[in-house]
């Protein structure tokens, strides 16, 4: 390789330098060098700082051209030469060279450094906990040994906050705490954001939150996604209403009223989920006077007022306990 680089340099200095870059990163890869060593090589070869930022894996490394690591929270300049870790991924590796088009050598440094970094990160901090059911089960098992749970959490990092997710009949999931957009469709209970070793606690809370969810249909109106840390004191109801047991009297009253009026459940949910009766009418897609007529009929069927603060709270609790009593 040295001989080839020498010959190419005589013909084309950039081509010779590119071959030396390739050989350099091949040696680092063979020696299983860490990410910091790869960034140090990129910075020294390029003569400018090199940085790697992988938000999913919470990895941030920046190295100066003299080999000194000096991380920063400042965002990269969009004009710097950059490379992604995956073909369709966002930029993750930058050479902090401003005001000039990237050279052939810069492009080779970025390509080889990104490829080597991807291999290292997949090996040491892969995303397995998000996808592997066995590792997720270990993460959520409070009786599992701490080393086993830390090993299962390689893709998150022991200090990274994460949430456990519970779905009806589905396997548990673990997501980074800030990945709200990745919550699956359907009924989902989401546990609080906790360090990885506290995920069993998040899992228990997620299963409780799942009981407060609804299908979001006319027969089961309500929220499809419930975050455990947003329930507050109402979560205590889960300990009082056992699934499949005889429902409380107010729940039975709601069920009987719903059998008499098909529109009742969606209308009552709109009343408890909005700030005013006018908002409730818009939510139920009816005229305000129609809503008033419906509520008068609902009060007759239920046996208590639903347009007073006390009656509205009682209604809210009844609808919530109806979901909790579900087998």
């Amino acid at each position: 390789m040295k001989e080839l680089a020498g010959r190419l340099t005589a013909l084309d200095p950039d081509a010779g330098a590119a071959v030396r870059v390739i050989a350099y990163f091949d040696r680092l890869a063979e020696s299983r060098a860490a990410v910091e060593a790869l960034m140090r090589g990129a910075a020294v070869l390029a003569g400018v700082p090199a940085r790697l930022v992988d938000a999913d894996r919470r990895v941030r490394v920046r190295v100066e051209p003299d080999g000194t690591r000096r991380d920063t929270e400042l965002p990269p300049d969009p004009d710097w030469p950059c490379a992604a870790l995956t073909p369709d991924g966002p930029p993750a590796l930058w050479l902090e060279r401003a005001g000039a088009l990237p050279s052939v050598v810069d492009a080779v440094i970025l390509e080889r450094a990104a490829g080597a970094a991807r291999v290292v990160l997949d090996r040491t901090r892969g995303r397995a906990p998000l996808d592997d059911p066995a590792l997720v089960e270990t993460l959520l098992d409070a009786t599992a040994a701490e080393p086993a749970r830390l090993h299962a959490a390689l893709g998150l990092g022991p200090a990274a906050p994460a949430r456990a997710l519970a779905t009806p009949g589905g396997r548990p999931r673990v997501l980074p705490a800030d990945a709200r957009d990745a919550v699956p469709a359907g009924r989902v209970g989401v546990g609080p954001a906790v360090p990885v070793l506290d995920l069993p606690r998040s899992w228990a809370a997620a299963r409780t939150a799942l009981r407060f969810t609804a299908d979001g249909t006319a027969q089961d109106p309500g929220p499809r996604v419930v975050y455990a840390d947003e329930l507050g004191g109402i979560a205590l109801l889960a300990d009082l209403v056992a699934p499949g047991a005889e429902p409380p009297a107010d729940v039975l009253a709601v069920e009987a009223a719903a059998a008499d009026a098909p529109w009742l459940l969606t209308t009552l949910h709109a009343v408890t989920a909005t700030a005013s009766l006018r908002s409730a009418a818009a939510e139920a897609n009816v005229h305000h006077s129609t809503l008033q007529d419906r509520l008068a009929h609902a009060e007759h069927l239920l046996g208590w007022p639903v347009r007073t603060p006390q009656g509205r709270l009682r209604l809210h609790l009844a609808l919530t306990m109806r979901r909790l009593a579900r087998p």
Side-chain angles (χ1 to χ4, degrees):
M1 185 67 78
K2 285 185 178 180
E3 182 179 354
L4 175 60
R7 291 180 179 180
L8 285 174
T9 300
L11 299 173
D12 184 340
D14 282 347
V19 170
R20 284 193 291 271
V21 168
I22 293 171
Y24 179 83
F25 280 105
D26 282 350
R27 290 194 298 273
L28 288 180
E30 290 171 3
S31 65
R32 299 170 73 87
V35 168
E36 183 173 341
L38 295 173
M39 292 303 99
R40 183 171 292 109
V44 171
L45 290 171
V48 296
R51 74 167 73 179
L52 173 73
V53 178
D54 186 339
D56 287 346
R57 296 180 174 99
R58 291 169 172 76
V59 174
R60 184 183 297 272
V61 178
R62 181 182 180 276
V63 180
E64 298 281 355
D66 63 1
T68 304
R69 177 167 178 173
R70 188 170 290 117
D71 294 343
T72 178
E73 295 293 330
L74 294 175
D77 188 317
D79 293 330
W80 289 342
C82 61
L85 293 180
T86 58
D88 299 323
L93 194 156
W94 290 264
L95 298 178
E96 299 182 10
R97 192 187 305 284
L101 294 175
S103 66
V104 172
V105 175
D106 282 348
V108 175
I109 291 172
L110 287 168
E111 189 271 335
R112 304 302 287 192
R118 180 175 64 251
V119 171
V120 173
L121 291 172
D122 285 346
R123 183 179 71 241
T124 61
R125 304 188 68 163
R127 293 182 174 84
L130 305 185
D131 304 314
D132 189 317
L135 292 183
V136 171
E137 184 177 343
T138 301
L139 274 174
L140 302 181
D141 185 358
T143 65
E146 184 174 307
R149 287 159 58 202
L150 287 174
H151 174 73
L154 284 175
L156 296 170
R163 298 177 185 269
L165 275 61
T167 58
R171 65 180 176 87
R173 294 186 60 180
V174 173
L175 291 178
D178 55 358
R180 290 199 170 208
D181 292 341
V183 173
R187 289 176 50 213
V188 184
V190 184
V194 297
V196 162
L197 289 178
D198 284 341
L199 276 170
R201 176 169 62 86
S202 182
W203 171 235
R207 286 181 292 168
T208 297
L210 178 63
R211 295 182 57 202
F212 286 87
T213 63
D215 288 331
T217 63
Q219 298 306 312
D220 189 21
R224 303 179 76 185
V225 178
V226 171
Y227 285 80
D229 45 11
E230 295 176 359
L231 285 172
I234 202 170
L236 297 174
L237 281 176
D239 294 330
L240 302 177
V241 182
E246 179 70 13
D250 281 358
V251 175
L252 294 175
V254 168
E255 295 287 6
D260 181 84
W263 46 261
L264 185 129
L265 290 173
T266 53
T267 301
L268 295 184
H269 170 70
V271 170
T272 61
T274 55
S276 67
L277 291 184
R278 291 198 176 274
S279 298
E283 176 74 14
N285 198 28
V286 297
H287 192 271
H288 182 258
S289 61
T290 302
L291 178 72
Q292 293 285 4
D293 292 341
R294 286 187 174 186
L295 293 182
H297 186 58
E299 290 173 340
H300 172 73
L301 294 174
L302 292 172
W304 77 82
V306 298
R307 287 172 285 187
T308 64
Q310 296 85 354
R312 189 172 176 174
L313 173 61
R314 183 176 177 181
L315 175 62
H316 191 182
L317 291 175
L319 293 177
T320 300
M321 290 188 295
R322 178 176 182 264
R323 293 193 285 272
L324 292 173
R326 186 170 38 203

